[in-house]
């Protein structure tokens, strides 16, 4: 992915800084298959990139360093906290790109977070994707689209989609992407809980529920065609009927309070609501932008979420800004 393709018209600022941003995602369909030999589950998922962004600014520096501002900027180790060292996926992205390009990993990374961590919205993946795009420009690595996509897949299952954006069908462990053309805008309200959920913990709970026979096994997953057809042309009722997430049951088992949150969303007028990815964020589908604004206002007063955000999609993946 050349600088122009990855980042559009962005440029290096006079102080040598480069800024990129990447979006949150919603899994409007998430079918989880059986556990693979490599420890991952086989997935069939449909990603939608939405207008909640993290921003990464990179500057020339000696060595690699990272600061975090905004959501989760506590440098802690629990779900919902964002580390400021090698545990951070943006740091790992910088090291990986440097090795690939044969350059020194010299940069200071500033991560401005609006996407909560451990929320089922791929906030860490967005940071990694934006870091790849920003450092490609700063270091002049001239990475191709295929190069950055391959590096993204090494970093995590959701990073390739954070790079791509829009709408896409994900297979494998989610990193194998087929773009989907969606001609219309979709409006959502994200209800963000106060405490994050660890993705590995949610998958482990799914395996446990399946072993106990509490939920269907992963030998087959629901087809993706209904949700893709609905995303392409609507109406909202069709998309509402097609939404599904195999990780919702284990997320609800781990966080029973999410049942109340889902009910609050539908009671407030959402066409449908589901847990986003591994949770605990609730994604509530609205008919249009005015409906989303009204829904967000009602949910903000319901007392079931820490933060409520009205968003829309699809939006672009990681891009240079400024």
């Amino acid at each position: 992915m050349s600088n122009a393709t990855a980042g559009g018209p962005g440029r290096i600022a006079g102080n040598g800084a480069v800024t990129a941003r990447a979006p949150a995602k919603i899994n409007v369909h998430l079918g989880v298959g059986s556990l693979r030999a490599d420890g991952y589950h086989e997935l069939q998922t449909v990603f939608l990139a939405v207008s909640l962004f993290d921003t990464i600014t990179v500057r020339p520096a000696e060595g690699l360093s990272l600061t975090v501002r905004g959501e989760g900027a506590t440098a802690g180790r629990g779900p919902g906290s964002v580390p400021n060292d090698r545990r951070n996926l943006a740091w790992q992205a910088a090291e990986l790109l440097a090795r690939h390009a044969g350059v020194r990993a010299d940069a200071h990374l500033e991560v401005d977070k609006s996407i909560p961590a451990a929320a089922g919205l791929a906030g860490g993946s967005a940071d990694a994707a934006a870091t790849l795009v920003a450092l490609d420009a700063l270091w002049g690595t001239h990475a191709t689209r295929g190069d950055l996509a391959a590096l993204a897949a090494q970093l995590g299952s959701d990073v390739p989609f954070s790079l791509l954006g829009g709408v896409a069908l994900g297979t494998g462990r989610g990193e194998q992407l087929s773009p989907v053309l969606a001609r219309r805008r979709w409006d959502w309200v994200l209800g963000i809980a106060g405490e994050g959920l660890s993705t590995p913990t949610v998958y482990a709970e799914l395996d446990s529920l399946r072993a106990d026979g509490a939920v269907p096994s992963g030998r087959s997953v629901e087809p993706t065609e209904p949700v893709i057809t609905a995303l392409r042309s609507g109406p909202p009722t069709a998309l509402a009927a097609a939404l599904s997430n195999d990780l919702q049951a284990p997320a609800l088992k781990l966080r029973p309070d999410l049942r109340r949150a889902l009910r609050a969303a539908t009671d407030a007028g959402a066409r449908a609501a589901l847990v986003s990815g591994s949770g605990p964020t609730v994604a509530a589908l609205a008919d249009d932008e005015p409906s989303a604004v009204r829904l967000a206002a009602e949910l903000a007063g319901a007392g079931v979420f820490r933060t409520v955000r009205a968003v829309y999609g699809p939006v672009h993946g990681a891009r240079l800004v400024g």
Side-chain angles (χ1 to χ4, degrees), residues 1 6 22-23 125-126 128-130 132-133 144-145 147-150 152 158-165 177 316-319:
M1 187 183 291
S125 297
L132 289 174
V133 168
T144 66
R145 176 176 291 273
D147 289 338
L148 289 190
D158 290 338
V159 184
F161 179 71
S162 296
L163 194 65
L164 176 67
L177 299 176
H316 287 300
R319 294 289 186 274

Side-chain angles (χ1 to χ4, degrees), residues 75-226:
R77 292 182 176 268
S81 63
V82 182
N84 60 1
D85 54 24
R86 283 183 171 84
R87 293 170 293 150
N88 192 295
L89 207 57
W91 186 303
Q92 296 168 32
E95 291 184 324
L96 185 61
L97 179 61
R99 288 196 299 271
H100 169 79
V103 302
R104 287 172 54 91
D106 288 339
H108 178 66
L109 315 180
E110 296 179 1
V111 182
D112 290 303
K113 290 200 65 63
S114 296
I115 308 170
L121 297 171
S125 297
D127 298 344
T131 298
L132 289 174
V133 168
L135 288 177
D136 175 47
L138 181 70
W139 292 339
T141 60
H142 304 294
T144 66
R145 176 176 291 273
D147 289 338
L148 289 190
L151 295 176
Q154 292 180 51
L155 290 163
S157 299
D158 290 338
V159 184
F161 179 71
S162 296
L163 194 65
L164 176 67
V167 180
L169 170 65
T171 56
R173 55 183 170 85
E175 87 287 9
Q176 299 171 21
L177 299 176
S178 300
V180 173
L181 179 62
R183 294 184 175 86
R184 60 160 292 164
R185 164 178 168 147
W186 294 97
D187 287 277
W188 301 78
V189 173
L190 303 180
I192 298 166
E195 182 181 348
L197 271 175
S198 160
T199 297
T201 300
V202 177
Y203 273 98
E205 183 65 25
L206 175 63
D207 291 337
S208 177
L209 290 173
R210 284 176 168 173
D212 292 341
V215 297
S217 74
R219 285 190 291 272
S220 63
V221 296
E222 293 183 30
T224 58
E225 288 84 355

Side-chain angles (χ1 to χ4, degrees), residues 244-317:
S244 65
N245 179 7
D246 284 351
L247 294 182
Q248 180 161 300
L252 293 176
K253 182 72 180 297
L254 293 165
R255 292 281 296 277
D257 56 302
L258 287 175
R259 296 184 187 279
R260 180 186 171 213
L262 289 166
R263 283 197 305 271
T266 53
D267 289 348
R271 280 289 180 181
L274 82 167
V275 172
S276 178
S278 56
T281 298
V282 168
L285 176 64
D287 283 334
D288 49 31
E289 184 177 8
S291 299
V293 171
R294 290 192 297 270
L295 178 60
E298 186 157 347
L299 289 178
V304 294
F305 299 112
R306 173 175 61 83
T307 304
V308 174
R309 302 283 180 88
V311 300
Y312 64 89
V315 299
H316 287 300

